[in-house]
Amino acid sequence: MDIEQYLKRIDFQGDTSIDENLLFKLQKKHLLNIPFENLDIHYAKRINLSINDIYQKIVIDKRGGFCYELNGLFHFFLKQIGFNAKLISARVHTKNGEYSPEYDHLAIIVNIENYEYLVDVGFGKFSLEPLKLEQHKKISDNYGQFKFNKHDTNYYRINEIRNKKLIPQYIFKNEEHKLSEFTERCNFHQSSENSHFTKKKLISIAKSDGRITLNNSQLKITRLGIETVIDFDENEFDAKLKQYFDLKIKNGSCQQ
């Protein structure tokens, strides 16, 4: 991995001395410059959990990805520059109130001076900054309010606070995993009709004042808390993709 190319991709300039401040800056820069997207799944391009392949896609080809790619590569990058970071497996809260299987989501835990932080650049609309792993304390950033608690004796749960209520996001054990352990679930999400990722195209990116999200037939723009929704015919998707994300379809895949 070319560290300078990665820093350029996320538009980061400055000192890279390892500390909490750097971690917060890197996560914000990552989220503001690299989109969450599942487009390869819909263009029949296989997603492999190879750091070289993911680096080529995200950094060189200026694409986005989903959690296995985004957090997998960000973890590798953090380790390369000197952070004490590990991959964790998370189980996502579902509409029926249950939790998805192990390895359904990939996130990162970073340890800095004996404090641990949940780092996640691959969960779509989530926190803008790392979340300090302390139970029952409200954590606020520009994208919302969050709180950790225990799901049971083995799992931590991260919740978003909405209207003073805890809305579960996902649960996780504070245990390290290898990227290869996520292969089976990664394959499921790009091939199974039971995965929400195969239902429709999706690309979304954080902005300093909101968010832009595009799917098959709808564009959603949020700025300063005001949401604008634009519906369109599916055959207009490529034009919207180019207009709002500067990406275009070429040779069966999505490229800039």
Side-chain angles (χ1 to χ4, degrees):
M1 175 188 290
D2 186 325
I3 299 302
E4 292 303 317
Q5 284 294 320
Y6 202 112
L7 293 171
K8 182 179 179 180
R9 175 72 176 95
I10 63 173
D11 191 30
F12 179 88
Q13 297 176 347
D15 183 26
T16 55
S17 299
I18 302 304
D19 58 18
E20 177 191 279
N21 184 52
L22 176 64
L23 181 65
F24 275 56
K25 287 181 178 179
L26 290 172
Q27 175 166 319
K28 286 189 285 187
K29 280 290 191 179
H30 197 290
L31 288 167
L32 291 170
N33 288 281
I34 299 179
F36 179 96
E37 51 119 318
N38 69 351
L39 300 182
D40 277 354
I41 294 170
H42 297 271
Y43 303 141
K45 185 173 182 180
R46 194 72 179 168
I47 297 170
N48 298 307
L49 295 188
S50 156
I51 290 297
N52 288 338
D53 289 350
I54 301 171
Y55 174 82
Q56 176 68 38
K57 176 182 177 180
I58 293 175
V59 178
I60 305 303
D61 297 338
K62 295 181 171 58
R63 290 282 308 283
F66 64 167
C67 71
Y68 307 112
E69 300 168 283
L70 297 173
N71 281 324
L73 189 64
F74 194 46
H75 165 262
F76 188 84
F77 164 72
L78 292 175
K79 295 275 286 184
Q80 288 290 103
I81 64 173
F83 277 102
N84 179 2
K86 65 184 178 185
L87 297 176
I88 60 166
S89 165
R91 301 170 57 193
V92 179
H93 190 256
T94 62
K95 292 181 179 179
N96 62 10
E98 298 179 355
Y99 291 91
S100 61
E102 207 68 71
Y103 303 110
D104 195 54
H105 179 58
L106 182 154
I108 306 166
I109 295 287
V110 174
N111 187 302
I112 303 175
E113 296 180 353
N114 295 320
Y115 290 106
E116 292 186 306
Y117 297 83
L118 176 64
V119 173
D120 197 337
V121 296
F123 199 56
K125 185 180 181 298
F126 191 53
S127 68
L128 187 63
E129 300 173 337
L131 302 174
K132 192 173 184 179
L133 188 50
E134 295 181 306
Q135 293 186 64
H136 310 302
K137 291 188 177 182
K138 184 170 70 175
I139 308 168
S140 299
D141 71 15
N142 290 339
Y143 271 30
Q145 295 181 327
F146 305 87
K147 183 178 287 188
F148 288 100
N149 60 16
K150 274 296 189 79
H151 174 61
D152 58 28
T153 56
N154 295 317
Y155 285 93
Y156 289 96
R157 175 166 48 205
I158 180 60
N159 309 273
E160 186 176 356
I161 304 173
R162 300 178 199 161
N163 300 318
K164 299 182 179 180
K165 294 183 179 180
L166 295 184
I167 309 300
Q169 300 300 298
Y170 55 78
I171 59 175
F172 62 92
K173 295 178 182 178
N174 195 352
E175 298 176 355
E176 185 169 12
H177 292 275
K178 297 178 181 178
L179 184 58
S180 60
E181 294 178 60
F182 295 83
T183 299
E184 182 177 347
R185 201 65 187 165
C186 178
N187 290 339
F188 166 85
H189 278 303
Q190 58 186 308
S191 61
S192 174
E193 62 181 13
N194 294 319
S195 170
H196 59 279
F197 287 115
T198 63
K199 306 296 184 186
K200 61 183 178 181
K201 301 171 187 172
L202 175 68
I203 182 167
S204 181
I205 193 166
K207 296 293 182 180
S208 59
D209 60 354
R211 190 170 197 90
I212 298 177
T213 300
L214 176 69
N215 66 31
N216 291 41
S217 58
Q218 188 179 84
L219 174 69
K220 185 182 296 184
I221 301 173
T222 305
R223 288 200 173 104
L224 301 175
I226 299 173
E227 183 179 281
T228 301
V229 177
I230 301 170
D231 294 312
F232 56 87
D233 292 332
E234 287 195 32
N235 59 13
E236 298 177 53
F237 179 85
D238 289 350
K240 292 287 192 292
L241 183 64
K242 177 63 178 175
Q243 180 180 356
Y244 289 94
F245 292 90
D246 196 25
L247 294 174
K248 63 181 179 180
I249 308 298
K250 185 178 180 181
N251 297 328
S253 63
C254 183
Q255 300 178 352
Q256 189 169 49

